Amino acid sequence: MSTHIAAKEGEIAQAVLLPGDPLRAQYMAEHFLENPQCYTTIRNMLGFTGTYKGKRVSVQGTGMGQPSMSIYVTELFRFYGVTTAVRIGTCGAIQAETQVRDIILAASACTDSAIPRQRFGDLCFAPTADFGLLQRAHHAAETLGLRHLVGTVASTDLFYDDRENWKVWARYGVLGMEMESAELYTLAALFRRRALAILTVSDHIVTGEAASAEERQTTFTDMARIALDTVAEL
Ligand code: HPA
């Protein structure tokens, strides 16, 4: 057991999918995994382990934002021997050509967070996805016939940001705004593990369009399939 995860040794699989919302973790466990077992309920940040296509997989809620996600992922890497971490979440699109419901495979992640300054001072680290996972996710998305883009996202600490800093990121080709991936990739680098973020566009920051609750459910299911197929044959 670690401070924020109640699992005993061996209860968490080597491959873990990471939705922000713990109820999404429960939904995934109940709809996609065989024989799912809940291993933690601390703070209601639910985690489950089951099997998918014969492979042991866990799904762990992380909460919103880099500080929350960092706690769970650090404990998964440090105490539970997790080797593969795949975030599944949403983002807001900041390029005109990106559409709501698109899936973005985040090859890299910029951030406005103070976390890198605490870790690196004046040095600037480049948080990057694991290439093998990215390749597999790309292949899974093609096989499933799901529209997807590969590129850079930005992990912001402010969901409600009246400075409109997204415009700076947009000028440099960043596809979308979310709140976790930069720290996930940084932790994977530190612990020498593999990580990837798979994101669906839930809203469009330029046009104001937003996915309906029903569309969010469908796109979540598509994204979950890509993530599961990505880790199934590792
Ligand atoms: N900003 C930050 N994170 C997000 C957004 C957004 O617009 N949409 C979904 N996650």
Side-chain angles (χ1 to χ4, degrees):
M1 180 168 173
S2 57
T3 306
H4 302 89
I5 302 175
K8 296 189 208 68
E9 208 183 319
E11 284 187 329
I12 301 181
Q14 288 194 344
V16 181
L17 307 189
L18 303 166
D21 179 352
L23 294 180
R24 292 282 192 190
Q26 184 170 29
Y27 179 90
M28 274 198 76
E30 289 172 354
H31 289 82
F32 292 99
L33 300 186
E34 281 168 40
N35 194 25
Q37 308 286 326
C38 180
Y39 59 74
T40 187
T41 60
I42 296 177
R43 289 176 183 251
N44 288 325
M45 199 57 79
L46 306 173
F48 301 83
T49 300
T51 56
Y52 176 80
K53 294 184 179 173
K55 163 103 182 168
R56 246 178 126 232
V57 178
S58 295
V59 193
Q60 171 67 54
T62 65
M64 290 182 283
Q66 297 184 78
S68 178
M69 192 275 313
S70 185
I71 288 169
Y72 294 99
V73 172
T74 297
E75 292 183 19
L76 290 172
F77 285 162
R78 182 173 287 160
F79 301 115
Y80 294 101
V82 168
T83 58
T84 305
V86 179
R87 163 164 155 69
I88 44 176
T90 58
C91 70
I94 57 173
Q95 298 294 335
E97 62 270 27
T98 309
Q99 295 168 17
V100 172
R101 295 174 297 278
D102 279 350
I103 291 167
I104 294 176
L105 308 178
S108 57
C110 318
T111 186
D112 57 23
S113 171
I115 294 176
R117 228 173 307 136
Q118 297 183 59
R119 289 190 192 280
F120 302 106
D122 287 341
L123 304 181
C124 185
F125 180 72
T128 308
D130 177 80
F131 181 66
L133 288 180
L134 185 58
Q135 254 184 332
R136 283 167 183 275
H138 179 64
H139 179 71
E142 298 255 300
T143 306
L144 293 165
L146 298 168
R147 198 182 130 89
H148 60 287
L149 303 109
V150 179
T152 306
V153 299
S155 306
T156 183
D157 280 351
L158 285 172
F159 184 91
Y160 298 107
D161 185 358
D162 52 18
R163 300 164 305 167
E164 297 196 323
N165 273 355
W166 63 267
K167 288 181 178 170
V168 178
W169 299 124
R171 204 177 304 139
Y172 288 84
V174 170
L175 297 174
M177 303 298 298
E178 52 87 71
M179 301 186 70
E180 290 84 13
S181 300
E183 173 65 357
L184 172 64
Y185 291 176
T186 304
L187 286 170
L190 177 64
F191 286 92
R192 306 290 196 278
R193 312 293 160 87
R194 321 184 255 222
L196 175 67
I198 303 173
L199 308 162
T200 60
V201 176
S202 58
D203 51 278
H204 206 299
I205 295 174
V206 183
T207 66
E209 193 192 347
S212 66
E214 196 183 330
E215 286 171 331
R216 276 176 183 247
Q217 190 60 44
T218 310
T219 52
F220 177 78
T221 302
D222 290 343
M223 178 170 60
R225 286 227 167 78
I226 295 174
L228 284 163
D229 284 345
T230 299
V231 302
E233 285 155 33
L234 287 172

PDB file of all heavy atoms in Angstrom, residues 116-142:
ATOM      1  N   PRO A 116       8.122  22.131 -14.098  1.00  0.00           N
ATOM      2  CA  PRO A 116       9.447  21.981 -14.728  1.00  0.00           C
ATOM      3  C   PRO A 116      10.485  22.928 -14.137  1.00  0.00           C
ATOM      4  O   PRO A 116      11.658  22.579 -14.030  1.00  0.00           O
ATOM      5  CB  PRO A 116       9.187  22.316 -16.198  1.00  0.00           C
ATOM      6  CG  PRO A 116       7.749  22.063 -16.398  1.00  0.00           C
ATOM      7  CD  PRO A 116       7.081  22.405 -15.096  1.00  0.00           C
ATOM      8  N   ARG A 117      10.051  24.136 -13.734  1.00  0.00           N
ATOM      9  CA  ARG A 117      11.005  25.077 -13.128  1.00  0.00           C
ATOM     10  C   ARG A 117      11.535  24.502 -11.817  1.00  0.00           C
ATOM     11  O   ARG A 117      12.692  24.660 -11.461  1.00  0.00           O
ATOM     12  CB  ARG A 117      10.336  26.429 -12.888  1.00  0.00           C
ATOM     13  CG  ARG A 117      11.166  27.587 -13.387  1.00  0.00           C
ATOM     14  CD  ARG A 117      10.424  28.906 -13.293  1.00  0.00           C
ATOM     15  NE  ARG A 117       9.126  28.853 -13.943  1.00  0.00           N
ATOM     16  CZ  ARG A 117       7.999  29.354 -13.412  1.00  0.00           C
ATOM     17  NH1 ARG A 117       8.013  29.936 -12.243  1.00  0.00           N
ATOM     18  NH2 ARG A 117       6.868  29.255 -14.072  1.00  0.00           N
ATOM     19  N   GLN A 118      10.650  23.826 -11.078  1.00  0.00           N
ATOM     20  CA  GLN A 118      11.093  23.215  -9.816  1.00  0.00           C
ATOM     21  C   GLN A 118      12.045  22.052 -10.088  1.00  0.00           C
ATOM     22  O   GLN A 118      12.989  21.817  -9.345  1.00  0.00           O
ATOM     23  CB  GLN A 118       9.894  22.746  -9.011  1.00  0.00           C
ATOM     24  CG  GLN A 118       8.990  23.888  -8.604  1.00  0.00           C
ATOM     25  CD  GLN A 118       7.840  23.434  -7.743  1.00  0.00           C
ATOM     26  OE1 GLN A 118       8.044  22.873  -6.687  1.00  0.00           O
ATOM     27  NE2 GLN A 118       6.627  23.655  -8.210  1.00  0.00           N
ATOM     28  N   ARG A 119      11.785  21.313 -11.160  1.00  0.00           N
ATOM     29  CA  ARG A 119      12.639  20.164 -11.463  1.00  0.00           C
ATOM     30  C   ARG A 119      13.943  20.556 -12.139  1.00  0.00           C
ATOM     31  O   ARG A 119      14.990  19.979 -11.883  1.00  0.00           O
ATOM     32  CB  ARG A 119      11.911  19.203 -12.418  1.00  0.00           C
ATOM     33  CG  ARG A 119      10.767  18.433 -11.830  1.00  0.00           C
ATOM     34  CD  ARG A 119      10.339  17.360 -12.837  1.00  0.00           C
ATOM     35  NE  ARG A 119       9.085  16.744 -12.487  1.00  0.00           N
ATOM     36  CZ  ARG A 119       8.952  15.789 -11.574  1.00  0.00           C
ATOM     37  NH1 ARG A 119      10.002  15.354 -10.930  1.00  0.00           N
ATOM     38  NH2 ARG A 119       7.762  15.283 -11.310  1.00  0.00           N
ATOM     39  N   PHE A 120      13.874  21.514 -13.085  1.00  0.00           N
ATOM     40  CA  PHE A 120      14.993  21.747 -14.011  1.00  0.00           C
ATOM     41  C   PHE A 120      15.605  23.141 -13.927  1.00  0.00           C
ATOM     42  O   PHE A 120      16.576  23.418 -14.634  1.00  0.00           O
ATOM     43  CB  PHE A 120      14.532  21.511 -15.458  1.00  0.00           C
ATOM     44  CG  PHE A 120      13.981  20.134 -15.707  1.00  0.00           C
ATOM     45  CD1 PHE A 120      12.614  19.924 -15.864  1.00  0.00           C
ATOM     46  CD2 PHE A 120      14.824  19.032 -15.773  1.00  0.00           C
ATOM     47  CE1 PHE A 120      12.097  18.656 -16.084  1.00  0.00           C
ATOM     48  CE2 PHE A 120      14.327  17.765 -15.989  1.00  0.00           C
ATOM     49  CZ  PHE A 120      12.959  17.567 -16.146  1.00  0.00           C
ATOM     50  N   GLY A 121      15.031  24.043 -13.128  1.00  0.00           N
ATOM     51  CA  GLY A 121      15.553  25.412 -13.063  1.00  0.00           C
ATOM     52  C   GLY A 121      15.475  26.081 -14.424  1.00  0.00           C
ATOM     53  O   GLY A 121      14.422  26.087 -15.055  1.00  0.00           O
ATOM     54  N   ASP A 122      16.611  26.587 -14.903  1.00  0.00           N
ATOM     55  CA  ASP A 122      16.631  27.293 -16.196  1.00  0.00           C
ATOM     56  C   ASP A 122      16.643  26.336 -17.390  1.00  0.00           C
ATOM     57  O   ASP A 122      16.494  26.760 -18.530  1.00  0.00           O
ATOM     58  CB  ASP A 122      17.882  28.176 -16.300  1.00  0.00           C
ATOM     59  CG  ASP A 122      17.779  29.395 -15.414  1.00  0.00           C
ATOM     60  OD1 ASP A 122      16.639  29.725 -15.019  1.00  0.00           O
ATOM     61  OD2 ASP A 122      18.821  30.000 -15.115  1.00  0.00           O
ATOM     62  N   LEU A 123      16.888  25.067 -17.146  1.00  0.00           N
ATOM     63  CA  LEU A 123      16.931  24.104 -18.262  1.00  0.00           C
ATOM     64  C   LEU A 123      15.510  23.794 -18.710  1.00  0.00           C
ATOM     65  O   LEU A 123      14.568  23.863 -17.941  1.00  0.00           O
ATOM     66  CB  LEU A 123      17.647  22.816 -17.826  1.00  0.00           C
ATOM     67  CG  LEU A 123      19.058  23.008 -17.271  1.00  0.00           C
ATOM     68  CD1 LEU A 123      19.663  21.668 -16.888  1.00  0.00           C
ATOM     69  CD2 LEU A 123      19.942  23.718 -18.297  1.00  0.00           C
ATOM     70  N   CYS A 124      15.361  23.438 -19.986  1.00  0.00           N
ATOM     71  CA  CYS A 124      14.025  23.193 -20.520  1.00  0.00           C
ATOM     72  C   CYS A 124      13.931  21.762 -21.043  1.00  0.00           C
ATOM     73  O   CYS A 124      14.504  21.440 -22.081  1.00  0.00           O
ATOM     74  CB  CYS A 124      13.732  24.193 -21.630  1.00  0.00           C
ATOM     75  SG  CYS A 124      12.072  24.060 -22.243  1.00  0.00           S
ATOM     76  N   PHE A 125      13.257  20.904 -20.303  1.00  0.00           N
ATOM     77  CA  PHE A 125      13.090  19.500 -20.687  1.00  0.00           C
ATOM     78  C   PHE A 125      11.986  19.385 -21.741  1.00  0.00           C
ATOM     79  O   PHE A 125      11.036  20.175 -21.735  1.00  0.00           O
ATOM     80  CB  PHE A 125      12.722  18.679 -19.439  1.00  0.00           C
ATOM     81  CG  PHE A 125      12.536  17.216 -19.720  1.00  0.00           C
ATOM     82  CD1 PHE A 125      13.627  16.415 -20.008  1.00  0.00           C
ATOM     83  CD2 PHE A 125      11.278  16.645 -19.695  1.00  0.00           C
ATOM     84  CE1 PHE A 125      13.464  15.063 -20.272  1.00  0.00           C
ATOM     85  CE2 PHE A 125      11.104  15.296 -19.956  1.00  0.00           C
ATOM     86  CZ  PHE A 125      12.199  14.511 -20.248  1.00  0.00           C
ATOM     87  N   ALA A 126      12.081  18.405 -22.629  1.00  0.00           N
ATOM     88  CA  ALA A 126      11.071  18.213 -23.684  1.00  0.00           C
ATOM     89  C   ALA A 126      10.268  16.938 -23.414  1.00  0.00           C
ATOM     90  O   ALA A 126      10.704  15.843 -23.784  1.00  0.00           O
ATOM     91  CB  ALA A 126      11.754  18.138 -25.040  1.00  0.00           C
ATOM     92  N   PRO A 127       9.125  17.029 -22.751  1.00  0.00           N
ATOM     93  CA  PRO A 127       8.329  15.842 -22.421  1.00  0.00           C
ATOM     94  C   PRO A 127       7.794  15.170 -23.694  1.00  0.00           C
ATOM     95  O   PRO A 127       7.087  15.800 -24.488  1.00  0.00           O
ATOM     96  CB  PRO A 127       7.188  16.391 -21.559  1.00  0.00           C
ATOM     97  CG  PRO A 127       7.683  17.727 -21.072  1.00  0.00           C
ATOM     98  CD  PRO A 127       8.525  18.255 -22.201  1.00  0.00           C
ATOM     99  N   THR A 128       8.159  13.903 -23.867  1.00  0.00           N
ATOM    100  CA  THR A 128       7.919  13.189 -25.120  1.00  0.00           C
ATOM    101  C   THR A 128       7.285  11.829 -24.853  1.00  0.00           C
ATOM    102  O   THR A 128       7.662  11.143 -23.906  1.00  0.00           O
ATOM    103  CB  THR A 128       9.274  12.989 -25.842  1.00  0.00           C
ATOM    104  OG1 THR A 128       9.928  14.251 -25.930  1.00  0.00           O
ATOM    105  CG2 THR A 128       9.100  12.418 -27.239  1.00  0.00           C
ATOM    106  N   ALA A 129       6.369  11.427 -25.723  1.00  0.00           N
ATOM    107  CA  ALA A 129       5.734  10.111 -25.609  1.00  0.00           C
ATOM    108  C   ALA A 129       6.725   9.006 -25.950  1.00  0.00           C
ATOM    109  O   ALA A 129       7.711   9.236 -26.661  1.00  0.00           O
ATOM    110  CB  ALA A 129       4.546  10.040 -26.564  1.00  0.00           C
ATOM    111  N   ASP A 130       6.453   7.807 -25.479  1.00  0.00           N
ATOM    112  CA  ASP A 130       7.237   6.634 -25.879  1.00  0.00           C
ATOM    113  C   ASP A 130       6.915   6.308 -27.342  1.00  0.00           C
ATOM    114  O   ASP A 130       5.739   6.156 -27.708  1.00  0.00           O
ATOM    115  CB  ASP A 130       6.862   5.451 -24.988  1.00  0.00           C
ATOM    116  CG  ASP A 130       7.603   4.194 -25.415  1.00  0.00           C
ATOM    117  OD1 ASP A 130       8.781   4.060 -25.044  1.00  0.00           O
ATOM    118  OD2 ASP A 130       6.996   3.357 -26.132  1.00  0.00           O
ATOM    119  N   PHE A 131       7.953   6.182 -28.165  1.00  0.00           N
ATOM    120  CA  PHE A 131       7.726   6.005 -29.599  1.00  0.00           C
ATOM    121  C   PHE A 131       7.016   4.690 -29.908  1.00  0.00           C
ATOM    122  O   PHE A 131       6.134   4.630 -30.767  1.00  0.00           O
ATOM    123  CB  PHE A 131       9.059   6.092 -30.354  1.00  0.00           C
ATOM    124  CG  PHE A 131       8.898   5.949 -31.836  1.00  0.00           C
ATOM    125  CD1 PHE A 131       8.214   6.919 -32.559  1.00  0.00           C
ATOM    126  CD2 PHE A 131       9.398   4.843 -32.508  1.00  0.00           C
ATOM    127  CE1 PHE A 131       8.039   6.793 -33.935  1.00  0.00           C
ATOM    128  CE2 PHE A 131       9.230   4.713 -33.886  1.00  0.00           C
ATOM    129  CZ  PHE A 131       8.545   5.681 -34.598  1.00  0.00           C
ATOM    130  N   GLY A 132       7.391   3.627 -29.201  1.00  0.00           N
ATOM    131  CA  GLY A 132       6.745   2.330 -29.436  1.00  0.00           C
ATOM    132  C   GLY A 132       5.248   2.371 -29.140  1.00  0.00           C
ATOM    133  O   GLY A 132       4.431   1.840 -29.905  1.00  0.00           O
ATOM    134  N   LEU A 133       4.877   3.012 -28.030  1.00  0.00           N
ATOM    135  CA  LEU A 133       3.447   3.127 -27.692  1.00  0.00           C
ATOM    136  C   LEU A 133       2.721   3.987 -28.724  1.00  0.00           C
ATOM    137  O   LEU A 133       1.594   3.683 -29.128  1.00  0.00           O
ATOM    138  CB  LEU A 133       3.268   3.750 -26.306  1.00  0.00           C
ATOM    139  CG  LEU A 133       3.624   2.910 -25.086  1.00  0.00           C
ATOM    140  CD1 LEU A 133       3.363   3.713 -23.809  1.00  0.00           C
ATOM    141  CD2 LEU A 133       2.843   1.605 -25.056  1.00  0.00           C
ATOM    142  N   LEU A 134       3.392   5.046 -29.141  1.00  0.00           N
ATOM    143  CA  LEU A 134       2.789   5.947 -30.136  1.00  0.00           C
ATOM    144  C   LEU A 134       2.534   5.192 -31.445  1.00  0.00           C
ATOM    145  O   LEU A 134       1.458   5.296 -32.046  1.00  0.00           O
ATOM    146  CB  LEU A 134       3.731   7.141 -30.355  1.00  0.00           C
ATOM    147  CG  LEU A 134       3.261   8.266 -31.260  1.00  0.00           C
ATOM    148  CD1 LEU A 134       1.956   8.872 -30.773  1.00  0.00           C
ATOM    149  CD2 LEU A 134       4.336   9.353 -31.340  1.00  0.00           C
ATOM    150  N   GLN A 135       3.515   4.414 -31.849  1.00  0.00           N
ATOM    151  CA  GLN A 135       3.370   3.613 -33.070  1.00  0.00           C
ATOM    152  C   GLN A 135       2.192   2.637 -32.951  1.00  0.00           C
ATOM    153  O   GLN A 135       1.388   2.487 -33.864  1.00  0.00           O
ATOM    154  CB  GLN A 135       4.636   2.788 -33.275  1.00  0.00           C
ATOM    155  CG  GLN A 135       5.523   3.271 -34.367  1.00  0.00           C
ATOM    156  CD  GLN A 135       6.705   2.320 -34.565  1.00  0.00           C
ATOM    157  OE1 GLN A 135       7.138   1.638 -33.641  1.00  0.00           O
ATOM    158  NE2 GLN A 135       7.220   2.300 -35.766  1.00  0.00           N
ATOM    159  N   ARG A 136       2.124   1.961 -31.801  1.00  0.00           N
ATOM    160  CA  ARG A 136       1.052   0.993 -31.584  1.00  0.00           C
ATOM    161  C   ARG A 136      -0.310   1.670 -31.571  1.00  0.00           C
ATOM    162  O   ARG A 136      -1.284   1.161 -32.125  1.00  0.00           O
ATOM    163  CB  ARG A 136       1.244   0.276 -30.241  1.00  0.00           C
ATOM    164  CG  ARG A 136       2.304  -0.798 -30.267  1.00  0.00           C
ATOM    165  CD  ARG A 136       2.639  -1.230 -28.858  1.00  0.00           C
ATOM    166  NE  ARG A 136       3.707  -2.202 -28.866  1.00  0.00           N
ATOM    167  CZ  ARG A 136       3.523  -3.506 -29.038  1.00  0.00           C
ATOM    168  NH1 ARG A 136       2.308  -3.988 -29.179  1.00  0.00           N
ATOM    169  NH2 ARG A 136       4.542  -4.330 -29.061  1.00  0.00           N
ATOM    170  N   ALA A 137      -0.398   2.823 -30.910  1.00  0.00           N
ATOM    171  CA  ALA A 137      -1.675   3.536 -30.837  1.00  0.00           C
ATOM    172  C   ALA A 137      -2.094   4.016 -32.226  1.00  0.00           C
ATOM    173  O   ALA A 137      -3.276   3.948 -32.589  1.00  0.00           O
ATOM    174  CB  ALA A 137      -1.563   4.714 -29.871  1.00  0.00           C
ATOM    175  N   HIS A 138      -1.116   4.481 -32.989  1.00  0.00           N
ATOM    176  CA  HIS A 138      -1.387   4.932 -34.356  1.00  0.00           C
ATOM    177  C   HIS A 138      -1.935   3.758 -35.181  1.00  0.00           C
ATOM    178  O   HIS A 138      -2.945   3.878 -35.884  1.00  0.00           O
ATOM    179  CB  HIS A 138      -0.091   5.464 -34.963  1.00  0.00           C
ATOM    180  CG  HIS A 138      -0.220   5.928 -36.369  1.00  0.00           C
ATOM    181  ND1 HIS A 138      -1.003   6.994 -36.723  1.00  0.00           N
ATOM    182  CD2 HIS A 138       0.329   5.465 -37.518  1.00  0.00           C
ATOM    183  CE1 HIS A 138      -0.928   7.164 -38.027  1.00  0.00           C
ATOM    184  NE2 HIS A 138      -0.133   6.246 -38.530  1.00  0.00           N
ATOM    185  N   HIS A 139      -1.287   2.617 -35.035  1.00  0.00           N
ATOM    186  CA  HIS A 139      -1.721   1.414 -35.756  1.00  0.00           C
ATOM    187  C   HIS A 139      -3.130   0.998 -35.306  1.00  0.00           C
ATOM    188  O   HIS A 139      -3.989   0.672 -36.142  1.00  0.00           O
ATOM    189  CB  HIS A 139      -0.715   0.292 -35.511  1.00  0.00           C
ATOM    190  CG  HIS A 139      -1.077  -0.992 -36.183  1.00  0.00           C
ATOM    191  ND1 HIS A 139      -1.003  -1.171 -37.543  1.00  0.00           N
ATOM    192  CD2 HIS A 139      -1.555  -2.157 -35.672  1.00  0.00           C
ATOM    193  CE1 HIS A 139      -1.407  -2.384 -37.853  1.00  0.00           C
ATOM    194  NE2 HIS A 139      -1.750  -3.004 -36.737  1.00  0.00           N
ATOM    195  N   ALA A 140      -3.375   1.031 -33.994  1.00  0.00           N
ATOM    196  CA  ALA A 140      -4.695   0.643 -33.472  1.00  0.00           C
ATOM    197  C   ALA A 140      -5.781   1.579 -33.998  1.00  0.00           C
ATOM    198  O   ALA A 140      -6.867   1.132 -34.402  1.00  0.00           O
ATOM    199  CB  ALA A 140      -4.675   0.652 -31.940  1.00  0.00           C
ATOM    200  N   ALA A 141      -5.496   2.880 -34.022  1.00  0.00           N
ATOM    201  CA  ALA A 141      -6.480   3.860 -34.510  1.00  0.00           C
ATOM    202  C   ALA A 141      -6.772   3.629 -35.995  1.00  0.00           C
ATOM    203  O   ALA A 141      -7.934   3.700 -36.439  1.00  0.00           O
ATOM    204  CB  ALA A 141      -5.972   5.282 -34.274  1.00  0.00           C
ATOM    205  N   GLU A 142      -5.723   3.322 -36.774  1.00  0.00           N
ATOM    206  CA  GLU A 142      -5.914   3.041 -38.213  1.00  0.00           C
ATOM    207  C   GLU A 142      -6.758   1.783 -38.387  1.00  0.00           C
ATOM    208  O   GLU A 142      -7.684   1.746 -39.188  1.00  0.00           O
ATOM    209  CB  GLU A 142      -4.555   2.814 -38.885  1.00  0.00           C
ATOM    210  CG  GLU A 142      -3.641   3.997 -38.822  1.00  0.00           C
ATOM    211  CD  GLU A 142      -3.515   4.727 -40.140  1.00  0.00           C
ATOM    212  OE1 GLU A 142      -3.085   4.094 -41.115  1.00  0.00           O
ATOM    213  OE2 GLU A 142      -3.867   5.919 -40.172  1.00  0.00           O
TER     214      GLU A 142
END
